[in-house]
Amino acid sequence: MPPLKGSAPSRASLEKYNAKRDFRLTKEPAGALPRGSGKSLAFVIQKHAASHLHFDLRLECDGVMKSWAVPKGPSVDASVKRLAMEVEDHPVAYNKFEGTIPEGEYGGGTVMLWDRGTYTPDEVRAGESNNDAVRHALNAGKLAFTFHGERLHGSFALVRTRRGAERAQWLLIKHHDEFATEGRDIVAEVMTSVTTGRTMVQIAAGDNGALKSAEGADGVGAIDAMLPTPLTRALPEGEYAVEPAIHGVRAMAFVTNGTVQLISANGNSEHKKRTVPLDDYPDVQSALLRLARHITGALVLDGILCDGAFIVVDLLLRDAQLLVEEPWIERRRQLEDALVNTAPKTQSHLQSVRMNPWVACSSNDIDDAAAELHTADVIVKRIDSPYESGPSKLWIRIRADSDGGKL
Ligand code: MN
């Protein structure tokens, strides 16, 4: 039978290409043969707030999803190695799961579909299907593969470092290629579901994207910390709140029932977001975890890590309610209610996670308010101002000048 015009490259044509080359010696790419089933191999990454926050990497092979729990999630920085604990195979149908596993059940907690797509093994021998190549590579303890995802692209390696009857340990490493980016913390940057656009707190709150559409943005994870701007002209008349300026690491705490994550807004550029290792702030960690156990919904706290404590300056979300459009005074009221009335009033809690003090004043008596706070370096906020992402003229930084200012 004559070959059909315009048909896809046949298996035979790639076999010839491959048979002529020894891929242990040449750096040419091996020809990837069409798979027997003709179906692509799927992958998903699910962000899972179980007893410990982690990311589940799942690669389709032999009709199931081979699975690894990656505590810190994938990195696109080729110098970063991420631990990946082998876990049990999951059914392919699990690839569509996003939602909350009831507490007390296995893996109880919120699951977000963080990325999805197909993947291909980087090395395929002559006559081998992609599926067979993946199986052989995993059995040998080293798989090089390429993600064709919505968020992850390019080549990665999974390398087994320890066999175990229970749990083999692997490392997930980005290869150097055009998709590798030094210093980029993609899991801190991309905090929403790839399918629904929801954040973890929104999924936990059982919301169905209502917040996203109400806000017209990618949810609270897309909001940058509100930054004060210097005083450039006289303050307009009005009611203000004056707070001491705190020097430290600006961070957002995402607190859901049972889980905590800190994302810093500081960095080389002011828009760089990074996960802050909670271990670096043990007192803050334990106080936030205690808070997480005592709330039913979710909180997103804006604050500053300073002297081993987290000084909270704002509240962006409470349960399923986004508060950024509310006036500052209402957000502050809700913050006090959430931290003081809802949370346990233990001394260590109040010491390690506490609200920044404030004093009410008018545009004329800022100096008196600063004196009351015993500082010359203050942030002045209009009490009716909404929360804005990034630098804002609604928050004004005022420092007493060097010669006059003794307070
Ligand atoms: Mn998991």
Side-chain angles (χ1 to χ4, degrees), residues 63-142:
V64 297
M65 301 306 291
K66 298 287 172 191
S67 297
W68 294 260
V70 184
K72 293 185 176 173
S75 174
V76 295
D77 183 333
S79 69
V80 172
K81 298 178 172 67
R82 288 283 157 87
L83 176 67
M85 310 290 293
E86 191 174 319
V87 297
E88 74 280 13
D89 299 343
H90 277 55
V92 174
Y94 203 82
N95 293 1
K96 293 196 188 305
F97 181 73
E98 177 171 284
T100 300
I101 303 168
E103 255 191 279
E105 294 301 302
Y106 178 75
T110 301
V111 176
M112 170 197 284
L113 272 166
W114 187 83
D115 199 12
R116 63 177 174 184
T118 61
Y119 78 100
T120 43
D122 291 349
E123 287 149 24
V124 182
R125 279 178 295 218
E128 208 177 35
S129 69
N130 280 1
N131 185 82
D132 290 345
V134 170
R135 186 197 316 110
H136 294 151
L138 290 178
N139 287 340
K142 188 173 191 296

Coordinates of all heavy atoms in Angstrom, one line a residue, residues 63-142:
G63 N -0.1 3.8 32.9 CA -1.5 3.9 33.2 C -1.8 4.4 34.6 O -3.0 4.5 34.9
V64 N -0.8 4.8 35.3 CA -1.0 5.4 36.6 C -0.1 6.7 36.7 O 0.7 6.9 35.9 CB -0.6 4.4 37.8 CG1 -1.5 3.2 37.8 CG2 0.9 4.1 37.7
M65 N -0.3 7.4 37.8 CA 0.5 8.6 38.1 C 1.5 8.2 39.1 O 1.2 8.0 40.3 CB -0.4 9.7 38.6 CG -1.5 10.2 37.6 SD -1.0 10.6 35.9 CE -0.1 12.1 36.2
K66 N 2.8 8.1 38.7 CA 3.9 8.0 39.6 C 4.0 9.3 40.4 O 3.9 10.3 39.8 CB 5.2 7.7 38.8 CG 5.2 6.4 38.0 CD 5.3 5.2 38.9 CE 5.1 3.9 38.1 NZ 4.9 2.8 39.1
S67 N 4.2 9.1 41.7 CA 4.0 10.3 42.6 C 5.2 10.6 43.5 O 5.7 9.6 44.1 CB 2.7 10.2 43.4 OG 1.6 10.2 42.5
W68 N 5.5 11.8 43.7 CA 6.5 12.3 44.7 C 6.0 13.4 45.5 O 5.3 14.3 44.9 CB 7.8 12.7 44.0 CG 8.5 11.7 43.2 CD1 9.6 11.0 43.7 CD2 8.2 11.2 41.9 NE1 10.1 10.1 42.7 CE2 9.2 10.2 41.6 CE3 7.3 11.4 41.0 CZ2 9.2 9.5 40.4 CZ3 7.3 10.7 39.8 CH2 8.3 9.8 39.5
A69 N 6.2 13.5 46.8 CA 5.9 14.7 47.6 C 7.2 15.5 47.7 O 8.2 15.1 48.1 CB 5.5 14.2 49.0
V70 N 7.1 16.8 47.2 CA 8.2 17.7 47.1 C 7.9 18.8 48.2 O 7.1 19.7 47.9 CB 8.3 18.3 45.7 CG1 9.6 19.1 45.6 CG2 8.4 17.2 44.7
P71 N 8.6 18.7 49.3 CA 8.2 19.7 50.4 C 8.3 21.1 50.0 O 7.4 21.9 50.3 CB 9.3 19.4 51.5 CG 9.6 17.9 51.3 CD 9.6 17.7 49.8
K72 N 9.4 21.5 49.3 CA 9.5 22.9 48.9 C 9.0 23.3 47.5 O 9.1 24.4 47.1 CB 11.0 23.4 49.1 CG 11.4 23.3 50.5 CD 12.8 23.9 50.7 CE 13.2 23.9 52.1 NZ 14.6 24.3 52.3
G73 N 8.5 22.2 46.8 CA 8.0 22.5 45.5 C 9.1 22.6 44.4 O 10.3 22.6 44.8
P74 N 8.7 22.6 43.2 CA 9.8 22.7 42.1 C 10.5 24.0 42.1 O 9.9 25.0 42.5 CB 9.0 22.5 40.8 CG 7.6 23.0 41.2 CD 7.4 22.7 42.6
S75 N 11.7 24.1 41.7 CA 12.4 25.3 41.5 C 12.9 25.4 40.0 O 13.2 24.4 39.4 CB 13.7 25.4 42.4 OG 14.4 26.5 42.1
V76 N 12.9 26.6 39.5 CA 13.4 26.8 38.1 C 14.8 27.3 38.1 O 15.3 27.7 37.1 CB 12.4 27.7 37.3 CG1 11.1 27.1 37.1 CG2 12.3 29.1 37.9
D77 N 15.4 27.4 39.3 CA 16.8 27.8 39.5 C 17.6 26.5 39.4 O 17.5 25.6 40.2 CB 17.0 28.5 40.8 CG 18.4 29.0 41.0 OD1 19.3 28.4 40.4 OD2 18.6 30.0 41.8
A78 N 18.5 26.4 38.4 CA 19.2 25.2 38.1 C 20.2 24.8 39.2 O 20.7 23.7 39.3 CB 19.9 25.2 36.8
S79 N 20.5 25.8 40.1 CA 21.5 25.5 41.2 C 20.7 25.0 42.4 O 21.4 24.7 43.4 CB 22.2 26.8 41.6 OG 21.3 27.7 42.2
V80 N 19.4 24.8 42.3 CA 18.6 24.4 43.5 C 18.2 23.0 43.4 O 17.7 22.6 42.3 CB 17.4 25.3 43.7 CG1 16.5 24.8 44.8 CG2 17.8 26.8 44.0
K81 N 18.4 22.1 44.4 CA 18.0 20.7 44.4 C 16.9 20.6 45.3 O 17.0 21.0 46.5 CB 19.1 19.8 44.8 CG 20.3 19.8 43.9 CD 21.4 18.9 44.4 CE 22.6 18.8 43.4 NZ 23.4 20.0 43.3
R82 N 15.8 20.0 44.9 CA 14.6 19.9 45.8 C 14.3 18.4 46.1 O 14.2 17.6 45.2 CB 13.4 20.5 45.1 CG 13.4 22.1 45.1 CD 13.1 22.6 46.4 NE 13.6 24.0 46.7 CZ 13.0 25.1 46.4 NH1 11.8 25.1 45.7 NH2 13.5 26.3 46.7
L83 N 14.3 18.2 47.4 CA 14.0 16.8 47.9 C 12.6 16.4 47.4 O 11.6 17.1 47.4 CB 14.0 16.8 49.4 CG 13.6 15.5 50.1 CD1 14.7 14.4 49.8 CD2 13.5 15.7 51.6
A84 N 12.5 15.1 46.9 CA 11.2 14.6 46.4 C 11.1 13.2 47.0 O 11.9 12.3 46.7 CB 11.2 14.5 44.9
M85 N 10.1 13.0 47.9 CA 9.9 11.7 48.5 C 8.9 10.9 47.7 O 7.8 11.3 47.4 CB 9.3 11.9 49.9 CG 10.0 12.9 50.8 SD 11.6 12.3 51.4 CE 11.0 10.9 52.4
E86 N 9.4 9.7 47.3 CA 8.5 8.8 46.5 C 7.3 8.4 47.3 O 7.4 8.0 48.5 CB 9.3 7.6 46.0 CG 8.6 6.7 45.0 CD 9.5 5.6 44.5 OE1 10.7 5.8 44.3 OE2 8.9 4.5 44.3
V87 N 6.1 8.5 46.8 CA 4.9 8.1 47.5 C 4.1 7.2 46.5 O 4.5 6.9 45.4 CB 4.0 9.3 47.9 CG1 4.8 10.1 48.9 CG2 3.6 10.1 46.7
E88 N 3.0 6.7 47.0 CA 2.3 5.7 46.2 C 1.7 6.2 44.9 O 1.4 7.4 44.8 CB 1.1 5.0 47.1 CG -0.1 5.9 47.3 CD 0.1 7.0 48.4 OE1 1.3 7.2 48.9 OE2 -0.9 7.6 48.8
D89 N 1.5 5.3 43.9 CA 0.9 5.7 42.7 C -0.5 6.2 42.9 O -1.2 5.7 43.8 CB 0.9 4.5 41.7 CG 2.2 3.9 41.4 OD1 3.2 4.6 41.6 OD2 2.3 2.7 40.9
H90 N -0.9 7.2 42.1 CA -2.2 7.7 42.1 C -2.9 7.4 40.8 O -2.3 7.3 39.8 CB -2.2 9.2 42.4 CG -2.1 9.5 43.8 ND1 -1.0 9.1 44.6 CD2 -2.9 10.3 44.6 CE1 -1.2 9.5 45.9 NE2 -2.3 10.3 45.9
P91 N -4.3 7.3 40.8 CA -5.0 7.1 39.6 C -4.9 8.3 38.7 O -4.8 9.4 39.2 CB -6.4 6.8 40.0 CG -6.5 7.4 41.4 CD -5.2 7.3 42.0
V92 N -5.0 8.1 37.4 CA -5.0 9.3 36.5 C -6.1 10.3 36.8 O -6.0 11.5 36.6 CB -5.0 8.8 35.0 CG1 -5.1 9.9 34.0 CG2 -3.8 7.9 34.7
A93 N -7.2 9.7 37.2 CA -8.4 10.6 37.5 C -8.1 11.6 38.6 O -8.8 12.7 38.7 CB -9.6 9.7 37.9
Y94 N -7.0 11.3 39.4 CA -6.7 12.3 40.5 C -6.2 13.6 39.9 O -6.2 14.6 40.6 CB -5.6 11.6 41.4 CG -5.6 12.2 42.8 CD1 -6.4 11.8 43.8 CD2 -4.6 13.2 43.1 CE1 -6.4 12.3 45.0 CE2 -4.6 13.7 44.4 CZ -5.5 13.3 45.3 OH -5.4 13.8 46.6
N95 N -5.8 13.6 38.6 CA -5.2 14.8 38.0 C -6.2 16.0 38.0 O -5.8 17.1 37.7 CB -4.8 14.5 36.6 CG -3.6 13.5 36.5 OD1 -3.2 13.1 37.6 ND2 -3.2 13.2 35.3
K96 N -7.5 15.7 38.2 CA -8.5 16.8 38.1 C -8.9 17.2 39.5 O -9.7 18.1 39.6 CB -9.7 16.3 37.3 CG -9.5 16.0 35.9 CD -10.8 15.9 35.1 CE -10.6 15.5 33.7 NZ -9.7 16.3 32.9
F97 N -8.3 16.6 40.5 CA -8.8 16.9 41.9 C -8.2 18.3 42.4 O -7.0 18.5 42.4 CB -8.4 15.8 42.9 CG -8.9 16.1 44.2 CD1 -10.3 16.0 44.5 CD2 -8.1 16.5 45.2 CE1 -10.8 16.4 45.8 CE2 -8.5 16.9 46.5 CZ -9.9 16.8 46.8
E98 N -9.1 19.1 42.8 CA -8.8 20.3 43.6 C -9.9 20.5 44.6 O -11.1 20.4 44.2 CB -8.7 21.5 42.6 CG -8.5 22.8 43.4 CD -8.2 24.0 42.4 OE1 -7.1 24.1 41.9 OE2 -9.1 24.9 42.3
G99 N -9.5 20.7 45.8 CA -10.6 20.9 46.9 C -10.0 20.6 48.2 O -8.8 20.6 48.4
T100 N -10.8 20.3 49.2 CA -10.4 20.1 50.5 C -10.7 18.6 50.9 O -11.8 18.2 50.9 CB -11.0 21.1 51.5 OG1 -10.6 22.4 51.0 CG2 -10.5 20.9 52.9
I101 N -9.6 17.9 51.4 CA -9.8 16.6 51.9 C -10.2 16.8 53.4 O -9.5 17.5 54.1 CB -8.5 15.8 51.8 CG1 -8.1 15.7 50.3 CG2 -8.6 14.4 52.4 CD1 -6.7 15.2 50.2
P102 N -11.2 16.2 53.9 CA -11.7 16.4 55.3 C -10.6 16.1 56.3 O -9.8 15.2 56.1 CB -12.8 15.4 55.5 CG -13.3 15.1 54.1 CD -12.1 15.2 53.2
E103 N -10.5 16.9 57.3 CA -9.6 16.7 58.4 C -9.8 15.3 59.0 O -10.9 14.9 59.2 CB -9.7 17.8 59.5 CG -8.6 18.8 59.4 CD -8.6 19.7 60.6 OE1 -9.5 20.6 60.7 OE2 -7.9 19.4 61.6
G104 N -8.7 14.7 59.3 CA -8.8 13.3 59.9 C -8.7 12.2 58.9 O -8.3 11.1 59.1
E105 N -9.0 12.6 57.6 CA -8.8 11.6 56.5 C -7.4 11.6 56.1 O -6.6 12.6 56.4 CB -9.7 12.0 55.3 CG -11.2 11.9 55.5 CD -11.6 10.5 55.9 OE1 -11.3 9.5 55.2 OE2 -12.1 10.3 57.0
Y106 N -6.9 10.6 55.4 CA -5.6 10.5 54.9 C -5.3 11.7 54.0 O -6.0 12.0 53.1 CB -5.3 9.2 54.1 CG -3.9 9.1 53.6 CD1 -2.9 8.8 54.4 CD2 -3.7 9.3 52.2 CE1 -1.6 8.7 53.9 CE2 -2.4 9.3 51.7 CZ -1.3 9.0 52.6 OH -0.1 8.9 52.1
G107 N -4.2 12.5 54.3 CA -3.8 13.6 53.5 C -4.8 14.8 53.7 O -4.8 15.7 52.8
G108 N -5.5 14.8 54.8 CA -6.5 15.9 55.1 C -5.9 17.3 54.9 O -4.8 17.5 55.4
G109 N -6.6 18.1 54.2 CA -6.1 19.5 53.9 C -6.5 19.9 52.5 O -7.2 19.2 51.8
T110 N -6.1 21.1 52.2 CA -6.5 21.7 50.9 C -5.6 21.3 49.8 O -4.4 21.3 50.0 CB -6.6 23.2 51.1 OG1 -7.5 23.5 52.1 CG2 -7.0 23.9 49.8
V111 N -6.1 21.0 48.6 CA -5.3 20.6 47.4 C -5.6 21.6 46.3 O -6.8 21.9 46.0 CB -5.7 19.2 47.0 CG1 -4.9 18.9 45.7 CG2 -5.4 18.2 48.1
M112 N -4.6 22.2 45.8 CA -4.7 23.1 44.6 C -4.0 22.5 43.4 O -2.9 22.0 43.5 CB -4.0 24.5 44.9 CG -3.9 25.4 43.7 SD -2.6 26.7 44.0 CE -3.6 27.8 45.1
L113 N -4.7 22.6 42.2 CA -4.0 22.2 41.0 C -3.0 23.3 40.6 O -3.5 24.4 40.2 CB -5.0 21.9 39.9 CG -5.5 20.5 39.8 CD1 -6.8 20.4 39.0 CD2 -4.5 19.5 39.3
W114 N -1.7 23.1 40.8 CA -0.8 24.2 40.6 C -0.2 24.3 39.2 O 0.1 25.3 38.7 CB 0.4 24.1 41.7 CG 1.3 25.2 41.7 CD1 1.1 26.4 42.3 CD2 2.5 25.3 41.0 NE1 2.2 27.3 42.1 CE2 3.0 26.6 41.2 CE3 3.2 24.5 40.1 CZ2 4.3 27.1 40.7 CZ3 4.5 24.9 39.6 CH2 4.9 26.2 39.9
D115 N -0.1 23.1 38.6 CA 0.3 23.1 37.2 C -0.1 21.8 36.5 O -0.4 20.8 37.3 CB 1.8 23.3 37.0 CG 2.2 23.7 35.5 OD1 1.3 24.1 34.8 OD2 3.4 23.7 35.2
R116 N -0.3 21.8 35.2 CA -0.7 20.6 34.5 C -0.2 20.7 33.1 O 0.1 21.8 32.6 CB -2.2 20.4 34.5 CG -2.9 21.6 33.8 CD -4.4 21.5 33.8 NE -4.9 22.7 33.2 CZ -6.2 22.9 33.1 NH1 -7.1 22.0 33.5 NH2 -6.6 24.0 32.5
G117 N -0.2 19.5 32.4 CA 0.2 19.5 31.0 C 0.7 18.1 30.7 O 0.3 17.1 31.2
T118 N 1.7 18.1 29.7 CA 2.3 16.8 29.3 C 3.8 16.9 29.6 O 4.3 18.0 29.8 CB 2.0 16.5 27.8 OG1 2.6 17.5 27.0 CG2 0.5 16.4 27.5
Y119 N 4.4 15.7 29.6 CA 5.8 15.7 29.7 C 6.4 14.6 28.7 O 5.7 13.7 28.3 CB 6.3 15.4 31.1 CG 6.2 14.0 31.5 CD1 7.3 13.2 31.6 CD2 5.0 13.4 31.9 CE1 7.3 11.8 31.9 CE2 4.9 12.1 32.3 CZ 6.0 11.3 32.3 OH 6.0 10.0 32.6
T120 N 7.7 14.8 28.4 CA 8.3 13.8 27.5 C 9.7 13.4 28.1 O 10.4 14.3 28.6 CB 8.5 14.3 26.1 OG1 9.0 15.7 26.2 CG2 7.2 14.3 25.3
P121 N 10.1 12.2 28.1 CA 11.4 11.8 28.5 C 12.4 12.4 27.5 O 12.2 12.4 26.3 CB 11.4 10.3 28.5 CG 10.3 9.9 27.5 CD 9.3 11.0 27.6
D122 N 13.6 12.8 28.1 CA 14.6 13.4 27.2 C 15.4 12.4 26.4 O 16.0 12.7 25.4 CB 15.6 14.3 28.0 CG 14.8 15.5 28.5 OD1 13.7 15.8 28.1 OD2 15.4 16.2 29.4
E123 N 15.5 11.1 27.0 CA 16.2 10.1 26.3 C 15.4 8.9 26.0 O 14.8 8.3 26.9 CB 17.4 9.7 27.2 CG 18.5 10.7 27.3 CD 19.3 10.7 28.6 OE1 19.3 9.7 29.3 OE2 19.8 11.8 28.9
V124 N 15.2 8.6 24.7 CA 14.4 7.5 24.3 C 15.2 6.6 23.3 O 15.8 7.1 22.4 CB 13.1 8.0 23.6 CG1 12.2 6.8 23.2 CG2 12.3 8.9 24.5
R125 N 15.3 5.3 23.6 CA 16.1 4.5 22.8 C 15.3 4.0 21.6 O 14.1 4.0 21.6 CB 16.6 3.2 23.6 CG 17.9 3.6 24.4 CD 18.3 2.4 25.2 NE 17.3 2.1 26.2 CZ 17.6 1.6 27.5 NH1 18.9 1.5 27.8 NH2 16.7 1.4 28.3
A126 N 16.0 3.5 20.6 CA 15.3 3.0 19.4 C 14.3 2.0 19.7 O 14.6 1.1 20.5 CB 16.4 2.4 18.4
G127 N 13.1 2.1 19.1 CA 12.1 1.1 19.3 C 11.3 1.2 20.6 O 10.4 0.4 20.9
E128 N 11.7 2.2 21.4 CA 11.1 2.3 22.7 C 10.0 3.4 22.7 O 10.2 4.4 22.0 CB 12.2 2.8 23.7 CG 12.1 2.4 25.1 CD 13.3 2.8 26.0 OE1 13.8 3.9 25.7 OE2 13.7 2.1 26.9
S129 N 8.9 3.1 23.4 CA 7.9 4.2 23.5 C 8.3 5.2 24.6 O 9.2 4.8 25.5 CB 6.5 3.6 23.9 OG 6.6 3.1 25.2
N130 N 7.7 6.3 24.7 CA 8.0 7.3 25.7 C 7.7 6.7 27.1 O 8.4 6.8 28.1 CB 7.2 8.6 25.6 CG 7.8 9.5 24.6 OD1 8.9 9.2 24.0 ND2 7.2 10.6 24.3
N131 N 6.6 6.0 27.1 CA 6.2 5.3 28.4 C 7.2 4.3 28.9 O 7.6 4.3 30.0 CB 4.8 4.6 28.2 CG 4.3 4.0 29.5 OD1 3.7 4.7 30.3 ND2 4.5 2.7 29.7
D132 N 7.7 3.5 27.9 CA 8.8 2.5 28.3 C 10.1 3.2 28.7 O 10.7 2.8 29.7 CB 9.1 1.6 27.1 CG 8.0 0.7 26.7 OD1 7.1 0.5 27.6 OD2 8.0 0.1 25.6
A133 N 10.4 4.3 28.0 CA 11.6 5.0 28.4 C 11.5 5.6 29.8 O 12.5 5.5 30.6 CB 11.9 6.2 27.4
V134 N 10.3 6.1 30.2 CA 10.1 6.6 31.5 C 10.3 5.5 32.5 O 11.0 5.6 33.6 CB 8.8 7.3 31.7 CG1 8.5 7.6 33.1 CG2 8.8 8.6 30.8
R135 N 9.6 4.3 32.3 CA 9.7 3.2 33.2 C 11.1 2.8 33.4 O 11.6 2.6 34.5 CB 8.8 2.0 32.7 CG 8.8 0.9 33.8 CD 8.3 -0.4 33.2 NE 7.2 -0.3 32.3 CZ 7.2 -0.5 31.0 NH1 8.4 -0.9 30.4 NH2 6.1 -0.4 30.3
H136 N 11.9 2.6 32.3 CA 13.3 2.2 32.4 C 14.1 3.2 33.2 O 14.9 2.8 34.1 CB 13.9 2.0 31.0 CG 13.3 0.8 30.3 ND1 13.2 0.8 28.9 CD2 12.7 -0.3 30.7 CE1 12.6 -0.3 28.5 NE2 12.2 -1.0 29.6
A137 N 13.9 4.5 32.9 CA 14.7 5.5 33.6 C 14.4 5.5 35.1 O 15.3 5.6 35.9 CB 14.4 6.9 33.0
L138 N 13.1 5.4 35.4 CA 12.7 5.4 36.9 C 13.3 4.2 37.6 O 13.8 4.3 38.7 CB 11.2 5.5 37.0 CG 10.6 6.8 36.6 CD1 9.0 6.7 36.8 CD2 11.1 8.0 37.5
N139 N 13.2 3.0 36.9 CA 13.8 1.8 37.5 C 15.3 2.0 37.7 O 15.9 1.5 38.7 CB 13.5 0.6 36.7 CG 12.1 0.2 36.8 OD1 11.4 0.5 37.7 ND2 11.6 -0.6 35.8
A140 N 16.0 2.7 36.8 CA 17.4 2.9 36.9 C 17.7 4.1 37.9 O 18.9 4.3 38.2 CB 18.0 3.3 35.5
G141 N 16.7 4.8 38.3 CA 17.0 5.8 39.3 C 17.4 7.2 38.8 O 17.8 8.1 39.5
K142 N 17.2 7.4 37.5 CA 17.5 8.8 36.9 C 16.7 9.0 35.7 O 16.8 8.3 34.7 CB 19.0 8.8 36.5 CG 19.4 10.2 36.1 CD 20.9 10.3 35.9 CE 21.4 11.7 35.8 NZ 20.9 12.4 34.6

